Short mmCIF file of all heavy atoms in Angstrom, two decimals:
data_model
loop_
_atom_site.label_atom_id
_atom_site.label_comp_id
_atom_site.label_asym_id
_atom_site.label_seq_id
_atom_site.Cartn_x
_atom_site.Cartn_y
_atom_site.Cartn_z
N LEU A 77 20.78 -45.73 4.61
CA LEU A 77 22.22 -45.80 4.91
C LEU A 77 22.44 -46.39 6.31
O LEU A 77 21.65 -46.14 7.22
CB LEU A 77 22.81 -44.38 4.87
CG LEU A 77 22.69 -43.64 3.53
CD1 LEU A 77 23.19 -42.22 3.69
CD2 LEU A 77 23.53 -44.36 2.48
N PHE A 78 23.54 -47.20 6.43
CA PHE A 78 23.75 -47.80 7.77
C PHE A 78 24.08 -46.72 8.84
O PHE A 78 23.66 -46.83 9.91
CB PHE A 78 24.88 -48.86 7.69
CG PHE A 78 25.11 -49.52 8.97
CD1 PHE A 78 24.09 -50.34 9.52
CD2 PHE A 78 26.20 -49.32 9.74
CE1 PHE A 78 24.27 -50.94 10.74
CE2 PHE A 78 26.41 -49.96 10.94
CZ PHE A 78 25.44 -50.74 11.44
N ILE A 79 24.86 -45.76 8.45
CA ILE A 79 25.12 -44.64 9.38
C ILE A 79 24.45 -43.47 8.88
O ILE A 79 24.62 -42.99 7.77
CB ILE A 79 26.70 -44.42 9.41
CG1 ILE A 79 27.35 -45.61 9.96
CG2 ILE A 79 27.02 -43.23 10.31
CD1 ILE A 79 28.85 -45.55 9.97
N PRO A 80 23.56 -42.87 9.59
CA PRO A 80 23.05 -43.09 10.99
C PRO A 80 21.74 -43.87 11.02
O PRO A 80 21.46 -44.31 12.13
CB PRO A 80 22.90 -41.66 11.50
CG PRO A 80 22.43 -40.89 10.33
CD PRO A 80 23.14 -41.49 9.15
N GLN A 81 20.97 -44.00 9.94
CA GLN A 81 19.70 -44.54 9.99
C GLN A 81 19.67 -46.02 10.40
O GLN A 81 18.88 -46.45 11.23
CB GLN A 81 18.91 -44.39 8.72
CG GLN A 81 18.54 -43.00 8.35
CD GLN A 81 19.53 -42.40 7.39
OE1 GLN A 81 20.64 -42.90 7.24
NE2 GLN A 81 19.18 -41.25 6.77
N GLY A 82 20.56 -46.83 9.88
CA GLY A 82 20.60 -48.21 10.13
C GLY A 82 20.91 -48.54 11.58
O GLY A 82 20.34 -49.44 12.18
N ILE A 83 21.83 -47.76 12.14
CA ILE A 83 22.23 -47.95 13.59
C ILE A 83 20.99 -47.61 14.42
O ILE A 83 20.69 -48.32 15.39
CB ILE A 83 23.44 -47.14 13.93
CG1 ILE A 83 24.66 -47.63 13.22
CG2 ILE A 83 23.64 -47.12 15.43
CD1 ILE A 83 25.90 -46.77 13.38
N VAL A 84 20.33 -46.46 14.14
CA VAL A 84 19.12 -46.18 14.93
C VAL A 84 18.03 -47.21 14.82
O VAL A 84 17.40 -47.59 15.83
CB VAL A 84 18.63 -44.80 14.50
CG1 VAL A 84 17.26 -44.41 15.14
CG2 VAL A 84 19.58 -43.68 14.81
N LEU A 85 17.81 -47.79 13.60
CA LEU A 85 16.84 -48.84 13.42
C LEU A 85 17.21 -50.12 14.24
O LEU A 85 16.35 -50.70 14.82
CB LEU A 85 16.72 -49.19 11.91
CG LEU A 85 15.95 -48.14 11.08
CD1 LEU A 85 16.11 -48.51 9.62
CD2 LEU A 85 14.53 -48.14 11.48
N LEU A 86 18.48 -50.45 14.19
CA LEU A 86 18.98 -51.55 15.02
C LEU A 86 18.75 -51.32 16.55
O LEU A 86 18.30 -52.20 17.25
CB LEU A 86 20.47 -51.89 14.78
CG LEU A 86 20.82 -52.67 13.55
CD1 LEU A 86 22.32 -52.76 13.32
CD2 LEU A 86 20.23 -54.07 13.67
N PHE A 87 19.01 -50.14 16.97
CA PHE A 87 18.86 -49.80 18.40
C PHE A 87 17.34 -49.90 18.79
O PHE A 87 17.05 -50.53 19.77
CB PHE A 87 19.35 -48.36 18.60
CG PHE A 87 19.06 -47.86 20.01
CD1 PHE A 87 19.86 -48.35 21.08
CD2 PHE A 87 18.15 -46.92 20.26
CE1 PHE A 87 19.66 -47.89 22.32
CE2 PHE A 87 17.89 -46.45 21.57
CZ PHE A 87 18.68 -46.97 22.61
N TYR A 88 16.47 -49.29 18.03
CA TYR A 88 15.03 -49.37 18.36
C TYR A 88 14.46 -50.76 18.16
O TYR A 88 13.58 -51.22 18.93
CB TYR A 88 14.27 -48.40 17.42
CG TYR A 88 14.37 -46.95 17.91
CD1 TYR A 88 14.68 -45.96 17.00
CD2 TYR A 88 14.17 -46.58 19.24
CE1 TYR A 88 14.83 -44.60 17.38
CE2 TYR A 88 14.28 -45.26 19.63
CZ TYR A 88 14.62 -44.33 18.72
OH TYR A 88 14.75 -43.03 19.12
N GLY A 89 14.98 -51.46 17.16
CA GLY A 89 14.53 -52.89 16.99
C GLY A 89 14.97 -53.70 18.17
O GLY A 89 14.14 -54.57 18.67
N THR A 90 16.20 -53.53 18.64
CA THR A 90 16.66 -54.34 19.77
C THR A 90 15.84 -54.01 21.03
O THR A 90 15.48 -54.87 21.78
CB THR A 90 18.19 -54.11 20.02
OG1 THR A 90 18.90 -54.38 18.87
CG2 THR A 90 18.69 -54.88 21.16
N GLY A 91 15.57 -52.72 21.22
CA GLY A 91 14.78 -52.32 22.39
C GLY A 91 13.37 -52.92 22.30
O GLY A 91 12.87 -53.34 23.32
N GLY A 92 12.73 -52.90 21.17
CA GLY A 92 11.43 -53.45 20.99
C GLY A 92 11.40 -54.97 21.23
O GLY A 92 10.49 -55.49 21.95
N LEU A 93 12.43 -55.64 20.74
CA LEU A 93 12.46 -57.10 20.98
C LEU A 93 12.74 -57.46 22.48
O LEU A 93 12.14 -58.39 22.96
CB LEU A 93 13.56 -57.71 20.13
CG LEU A 93 13.26 -57.74 18.61
CD1 LEU A 93 14.43 -58.23 17.76
CD2 LEU A 93 12.04 -58.65 18.28
N VAL A 94 13.61 -56.69 23.11
CA VAL A 94 13.86 -56.94 24.53
C VAL A 94 12.60 -56.78 25.34
O VAL A 94 12.28 -57.58 26.23
CB VAL A 94 14.97 -56.01 25.06
CG1 VAL A 94 15.06 -55.98 26.53
CG2 VAL A 94 16.35 -56.44 24.44
N LEU A 95 11.82 -55.66 25.05
CA LEU A 95 10.58 -55.41 25.78
C LEU A 95 9.57 -56.56 25.46
O LEU A 95 8.79 -57.01 26.37
CB LEU A 95 10.01 -54.04 25.46
CG LEU A 95 10.71 -52.83 26.04
CD1 LEU A 95 10.13 -51.56 25.49
CD2 LEU A 95 10.60 -52.91 27.53
N ALA A 96 9.50 -56.95 24.19
CA ALA A 96 8.53 -58.10 23.86
C ALA A 96 8.93 -59.35 24.62
O ALA A 96 8.02 -60.07 25.08
CB ALA A 96 8.58 -58.31 22.37
N PHE A 97 10.18 -59.68 24.70
CA PHE A 97 10.60 -60.88 25.44
C PHE A 97 10.30 -60.72 26.92
O PHE A 97 10.00 -61.71 27.58
CB PHE A 97 12.04 -61.31 25.11
CG PHE A 97 12.14 -62.01 23.77
CD1 PHE A 97 12.75 -61.35 22.76
CD2 PHE A 97 11.63 -63.26 23.60
CE1 PHE A 97 12.92 -62.03 21.51
CE2 PHE A 97 11.73 -63.92 22.41
CZ PHE A 97 12.43 -63.31 21.38
N PHE A 98 10.58 -59.56 27.47
CA PHE A 98 10.19 -59.37 28.89
C PHE A 98 8.75 -59.59 29.08
O PHE A 98 8.35 -60.28 30.01
CB PHE A 98 10.56 -57.89 29.31
CG PHE A 98 10.01 -57.51 30.60
CD1 PHE A 98 10.60 -57.97 31.78
CD2 PHE A 98 8.88 -56.76 30.79
CE1 PHE A 98 10.09 -57.69 33.05
CE2 PHE A 98 8.35 -56.42 31.96
CZ PHE A 98 8.97 -56.92 33.14
N LEU A 99 7.86 -59.04 28.20
CA LEU A 99 6.45 -59.25 28.37
C LEU A 99 6.01 -60.74 28.20
O LEU A 99 5.16 -61.21 28.81
CB LEU A 99 5.64 -58.40 27.37
CG LEU A 99 5.50 -56.89 27.75
CD1 LEU A 99 4.77 -56.18 26.73
CD2 LEU A 99 4.80 -56.75 29.11
N LEU A 100 6.79 -61.45 27.33
CA LEU A 100 6.54 -62.85 27.10
C LEU A 100 6.76 -63.65 28.41
O LEU A 100 5.93 -64.46 28.82
CB LEU A 100 7.44 -63.42 26.00
CG LEU A 100 7.32 -64.93 25.68
CD1 LEU A 100 5.94 -65.19 25.09
CD2 LEU A 100 8.44 -65.36 24.77
N PHE A 101 7.88 -63.34 29.07
CA PHE A 101 8.11 -64.02 30.38
C PHE A 101 7.11 -63.56 31.45
O PHE A 101 6.71 -64.33 32.26
CB PHE A 101 9.59 -63.78 30.86
CG PHE A 101 10.58 -64.59 30.05
CD1 PHE A 101 11.48 -63.98 29.27
CD2 PHE A 101 10.56 -65.98 30.05
CE1 PHE A 101 12.43 -64.66 28.52
CE2 PHE A 101 11.48 -66.73 29.35
CZ PHE A 101 12.33 -66.09 28.52
N TYR A 102 6.78 -62.27 31.37
CA TYR A 102 5.80 -61.74 32.35
C TYR A 102 4.45 -62.44 32.22
O TYR A 102 3.81 -62.77 33.22
CB TYR A 102 5.68 -60.24 32.00
CG TYR A 102 4.75 -59.41 32.86
CD1 TYR A 102 5.19 -59.07 34.17
CD2 TYR A 102 3.56 -58.94 32.41
CE1 TYR A 102 4.35 -58.29 34.99
CE2 TYR A 102 2.72 -58.12 33.16
CZ TYR A 102 3.13 -57.81 34.50
OH TYR A 102 2.35 -57.04 35.24
N ILE A 103 4.05 -62.72 30.97
CA ILE A 103 2.80 -63.50 30.68
C ILE A 103 3.00 -64.91 31.06
O ILE A 103 2.13 -65.53 31.70
CB ILE A 103 2.42 -63.33 29.20
CG1 ILE A 103 2.06 -61.90 28.88
CG2 ILE A 103 1.30 -64.30 28.80
CD1 ILE A 103 1.95 -61.55 27.42
N TYR A 104 4.16 -65.52 30.72
CA TYR A 104 4.38 -66.95 31.07
C TYR A 104 4.29 -67.21 32.60
O TYR A 104 3.71 -68.19 33.04
CB TYR A 104 5.75 -67.38 30.50
CG TYR A 104 6.14 -68.74 30.84
CD1 TYR A 104 5.52 -69.88 30.29
CD2 TYR A 104 7.10 -69.03 31.79
CE1 TYR A 104 5.84 -71.14 30.61
CE2 TYR A 104 7.49 -70.29 32.16
CZ TYR A 104 6.80 -71.35 31.59
OH TYR A 104 7.19 -72.67 31.91
N TRP A 105 4.96 -66.31 33.35
CA TRP A 105 4.91 -66.40 34.82
C TRP A 105 3.58 -65.97 35.46
O TRP A 105 3.40 -66.20 36.64
CB TRP A 105 6.06 -65.63 35.42
CG TRP A 105 7.47 -66.14 35.10
CD1 TRP A 105 7.81 -67.48 35.07
CD2 TRP A 105 8.57 -65.43 34.87
NE1 TRP A 105 9.17 -67.57 34.73
CE2 TRP A 105 9.65 -66.31 34.59
CE3 TRP A 105 8.83 -64.08 34.75
CZ2 TRP A 105 10.93 -65.85 34.26
CZ3 TRP A 105 10.13 -63.65 34.42
CH2 TRP A 105 11.16 -64.55 34.20
N ASP A 106 2.74 -65.35 34.73
CA ASP A 106 1.45 -64.84 35.09
C ASP A 106 1.55 -63.98 36.36
O ASP A 106 0.84 -64.20 37.36
CB ASP A 106 0.49 -66.08 35.32
CG ASP A 106 -0.97 -65.64 35.32
OD1 ASP A 106 -1.27 -64.52 34.82
OD2 ASP A 106 -1.85 -66.42 35.77
N VAL A 107 2.36 -62.97 36.21
CA VAL A 107 2.62 -62.09 37.32
C VAL A 107 1.32 -61.29 37.67
O VAL A 107 0.66 -60.82 36.70
CB VAL A 107 3.77 -61.09 36.99
CG1 VAL A 107 3.92 -60.01 38.08
CG2 VAL A 107 5.06 -61.89 36.82
N GLY A 108 0.97 -61.15 38.89
CA GLY A 108 -0.21 -60.37 39.28
C GLY A 108 -1.43 -61.21 39.51
O GLY A 108 -2.42 -60.70 40.01
N SER A 109 -1.42 -62.47 39.09
CA SER A 109 -2.62 -63.28 39.24
C SER A 109 -2.76 -63.71 40.71
O SER A 109 -1.81 -63.73 41.46
CB SER A 109 -2.59 -64.49 38.32
OG SER A 109 -1.57 -65.38 38.78
#
Side-chain angles (χ1 to χ4, degrees):
L77 299 173
F78 182 66
I79 297 177
Q81 291 98 344
I83 292 174
V84 172
L85 286 170
L86 278 173
F87 175 74
Y88 284 128
T90 303
L93 288 173
V94 167
L95 287 174
F97 281 110
F98 170 76
L99 283 178
L100 178 69
F101 287 116
Y102 184 72
I103 292 166
Y104 176 73
W105 292 321
D106 201 16
V107 174
S109 67

